[in-house]
Each structure stands twice: as C-alpha cells, then as structure tokens.
Amino acid sequence: MGTTGREADEIKVLLEAVYLRHGFDYRNYAMASLRRRVHKVLDESGIKQIIDLVPAIWNDDKVASDFLRVMSIPVTEMFRDPPFFIELREKVLPILETYPFIKIWHAGCATGEEVLSMAILLREAGLEKRVRIYATDYNDQVLKAAKEGIYSMDKIPLFESNYQDAQGKGKLSDYYHARYDQAKFDPELLSNVTFANHNLVTDGVFGEMNLILCRNVLIYFNKELQQRVFRLITDSLCPRGILGLGNGESLRFSPLARHYEHIDASLRLYRKKL
Ligand SMILES: C[S@@+](CC[C@H](N)C(=O)[O-])C[C@H]1O[C@@H](n2cnc3c(N)ncnc32)[C@H](O)[C@@H]1O
C-alpha cells in the first residue's frame, strides 16, 4: 500500500518534531521505509494515529528512544554477501597491501559483524598490524554491542556458513570462544578498531581513508540524502581509495560517479580516480 498525502504530511510533521526535539534528522530518509518504521512504532506503542506520536515523542523519553531504536534497523551478519568478501580478498587486499599503512572506515557498522569479518580477512592476509579501522554508527546501543564482540550462538551457524562461502582460510571457531549460549570473539581482532558515534546525515568528513564500506545504509535514504553521503564519502577517500556498497546500492545515477571507476560493477566495488 502506498503512502497517502495526509499520511506523508503527518510523517513529515513527526520528523520535524524528532529533529527539533532530539536532533536526529530523518527528513530525507526514503518514504516507503519511513512509513513501515512509523507503523511499527505505532504498533509497539499502542498509539493509534501518526499525528498523536508528535506529543508522545516530544514529552515521553521512552517513546522517543523506542522511535530511534526502530528507525536504526541494525540488521547485519558476519561475511554478509560472501561473494563481496571474496572480491575484497582477491581484488582489494592486493591493492591495500602496497600501502605502508591502511585506513578503513565502516560507515553504519551496526553491531559490528562486518567489522569483525574485515578484521578476520586482514589477519588471514597478514595485514592486521598495518591497519587502523574506524567503525561508526549513529546508534550508541549498537556501538556498545559492537565493541563487545559477543554474539548469540544461535547466529553462529549462519556466520560460519557465510565465512566458508567467502573462502575463509580456517574455521570461524578459530576466532571465538563459546561460553554457554554466547560466542566471544578474540578481542585482539578489535584492538585496531576505533568505534565512534557518527551521523552520516549531520556529521562531517572522516579523513584520508583507503577503503570505505558503507553497505546497506543508503537504501534507507532518499536520492538527495544519498548524494550528500556520496559527497561525504568521496571527500573522505584518499586518491585511489576504494568504496564498497551493499547489494541494491549503486553510484550509477549519481553525478559523483565520474570520480570513480569500477573494481567490480556487480558487487558494488569502486575505486576513486586521481
Ligand atoms: C542494515 S544496517 C547495515 C550494517 C552493515 N553495514 C551491513 O551491511 O551489514 C544499517 C545501519 O546503518 C545505521 N544508520 C542509519 N542511518 C544512519 C546515519 N544517518 N548515520 C550513521 N549510521 C546510520 C543504522 O543505525 C544501522 O546500524
């Protein structure tokens, strides 16, 4: 079902209130996804009308924090989209290997599974000592979980099969200790990682990166905001730096595409031109 004019207007009023009262700017997120999220908040809160969420979000911190949680969608997995990690291993690491020091930024890192996957890839390539990784998200709760590197054992079979499909060199269990129903990953893997709060909508450049992964984040943004983030990413990459996007995300229709060449078009890997 599409969004009616009135519903879209109510969502816009709500987003203005969220921005004014709490400083989070969702005004340029994609409407279809916004609508689904707003209805989820309505279902969870028992509030019937979108417009009634405005005073609730303004006055009730619990409703506000629930709204921010629902908006964040930190769905992720280790070695998500395994062919992407094969491309990273085969096409990107040989480039990074030629640098004395490597800076990598995971923008929208959620609970950290992508960061750990990268750390494992770098260790298996013998590069981990030469790397500094920045992992950012605007959601403090997921950053806290990402720093811990502890995941439910229920998730491990999927992570293990992704790792094998990504042509991992060993077994995923080489990298974690299982305790009861949780897997704790080797803290050394995260020792070169700086976790930080960064909002792609309102915050600035992250300087001179050799590789930026911003996967499965832009799909939630409208075209205008996607352009802003592409600009931010382009300004944050060093010359010949590499950008990895998620499936379903592309630079194709962006005016900034002229600054890039493909490493592998289908898998969303781009290299910035000089
Ligand atoms: C679907 S997850 C993607 C995680 C990981 N990159 C992956 O591909 O598996 C999207 C993440 O983007 C974050 N995000 C959404 N809007 C953001 C913004 N404006 N600034 C920074 N992070 C944002 C969410 O909090 C969420 O953790």
Side-chain angles (χ1 to χ4, degrees), residues 113 150-157 159 181-183 185:
E113 285 87 334
I150 299 173
Y151 301 98
S152 159
M153 282 304 287
D154 296 347
K155 295 185 171 170
I156 294 296
F159 293 177
D181 55 353
Q182 291 188 318
F185 279 79

Side-chain angles (χ1 to χ4, degrees), residues 48-118:
K48 296 259 175 316
Q49 311 244 32
I50 296 172
I51 204 68
D52 294 334
L53 268 175
V54 175
I57 278 182
W58 197 274
N59 296 315
D60 186 336
D61 286 348
K62 165 93 175 59
V63 179
S65 73
D66 285 349
F67 181 82
L68 299 178
R69 175 181 50 76
V70 171
M71 286 301 294
S72 161
I73 325 178
V75 179
T76 185
E77 39 189 79
M78 283 186 80
F79 296 94
R80 179 179 196 172
D81 185 11
F84 179 86
F85 282 87
I86 295 175
E87 294 291 316
L88 278 182
R89 197 192 293 273
E90 291 180 352
K91 302 217 167 108
V92 175
L93 294 193
I95 297 172
L96 297 183
E97 215 169 46
T98 63
Y99 303 143
F101 193 72
I102 304 158
K103 283 169 76 178
I104 300 176
W105 178 21
H106 293 261
C109 67
T111 38
E113 285 87 334
E114 185 185 84
V115 183
L116 263 180
S117 312
M118 176 65 77

Side-chain angles (χ1 to χ4, degrees), residues 161-175:
S161 100
N162 282 353
Y163 172 67
Q164 295 306 331
D165 291 346
Q167 298 174 3
K169 291 194 174 165
K171 299 187 297 301
L172 194 63
S173 54
D174 299 338
Y175 298 101

Side-chain angles (χ1 to χ4, degrees), residues 126-157:
L127 290 174
E128 72 177 322
K129 296 278 182 283
R130 272 200 267 159
V131 178
R132 161 82 19 213
I133 297 180
Y134 300 87
T136 64
D137 204 285
Y138 82 114
N139 177 340
D140 279 331
Q141 273 177 322
V142 295
L143 283 172
K144 186 164 174 279
K147 278 182 207 162
E148 283 171 358
I150 299 173
Y151 301 98
S152 159
M153 282 304 287
D154 296 347
K155 295 185 171 170
I156 294 296

Side-chain angles (χ1 to χ4, degrees), residues 14 102 115 147 159 176 178 181 197 206 209 213 230 257:
L14 175 66
I102 304 158
V115 183
K147 278 182 207 162
F159 293 177
Y176 67 82
D181 55 353
N197 189 303
F206 241 73
M209 296 293 153
L213 296 193
F230 281 141

